[in-house]
Amino acid sequence: MKSFNPPIRTLMGPGPSDVHPRILSAMARPTIGHLDPAFVGMMNETKEGLKSIFKTENELTMPVSAPGSAGMETCFANLVEPGDKVVVCINGVFGMRMQENITRFGGVAVVVEDDWGTAVSLDKVEQALKDNTDAKILAFVHAETSTGARSDAKALCKIAHDNDCITIVDAVTSLGGCELRVDEWEIDAIYSGTQKCLSAMPGISPVSFNERALTKVKNRKKP
């Protein structure tokens, strides 16, 4: 097997993005064990940095060692129980991926569909929640990677909470690229990826859960 030397590219798609030279240099440094005190210190510092980027004080804010799809699964696996009704907004590919997660974890998906390239309709979401008063969760993509359409996360979270739902938010494309305020907008569970606006290497998914989300996790009937 020959050594692989990747060609030099300028990446201008929706991701991965070009990795900053400082990060490439850091990746060439020696490996240490995951129980090494130096690693623990670095991890704690990383978690604090993610809290700053997400604009949150959530204690459960951390990087998952996998791409954004695993961050999505982290949120849905922990928050969706069999039989839970989840209103999911689809205006692109990744809303469809959310629906797949709901189904795989035994939830019941109530789909709110909008044309690709348009923002999620607040009126449609409000009506869906009024029509499904037993819904537990509202799931939506803040900035749909497949089209670039950005939805009003702050307004969607307010509608959800007014209807006694918690929120799961996909911020894979939006984190670091547009305004995102987890605590101020009362986002309950959120996930992102490093390979988009953060200009880091692919393969890490920052996630954050607030106390409202953790209460649902802790009160699950099925582990």
Side-chain angles (χ1 to χ4, degrees), residues 66-75 94 97 101 172 191-193 195 205:
S69 293
M72 179 187 292
E73 187 170 331
T74 298
C75 291
F94 292 93
R97 294 274 292 277
N101 273 265
V172 171
Y191 58 91
S192 187
Q195 77 278 17
S205 180

Side-chain angles (χ1 to χ4, degrees), residues 8 18 21 56 75 97 156 174 178 221:
I8 297 174
D18 286 332
T56 183
C75 291
R97 294 274 292 277
L156 287 166
S174 62
C178 59
K221 294 181 177 62

Side-chain angles (χ1 to χ4, degrees), residues 9-12 15-28 194-204:
R9 307 283 196 225
T10 299
L11 302 176
M12 301 184 70
S17 59
D18 286 332
V19 178
H20 194 280
R22 181 173 62 84
I23 297 172
L24 292 175
S25 175
M27 291 174 68
T194 48
Q195 77 278 17
K196 307 290 185 178
C197 296
L198 298 182
S199 293
M201 79 299 292
I204 302 176

Side-chain angles (χ1 to χ4, degrees), residues 42-97:
M42 180 272 293
M43 177 59 72
N44 288 336
E45 186 175 350
T46 299
K47 289 162 66 178
E48 289 301 313
L50 288 176
K51 287 165 68 174
S52 176
I53 295 170
F54 274 127
K55 298 195 178 337
T56 183
E57 295 300 321
N58 291 342
E59 282 303 310
L60 187 51
T61 301
M62 64 181 187
V64 174
S65 301
S69 293
M72 179 187 292
E73 187 170 331
T74 298
C75 291
F76 283 91
N78 281 284
L79 289 168
V80 177
E81 285 193 84
D84 277 355
K85 188 176 281 189
V86 182
V87 175
V88 57
C89 305
I90 297 180
N91 62 335
V93 169
F94 292 93
M96 295 169 66
R97 294 274 292 277

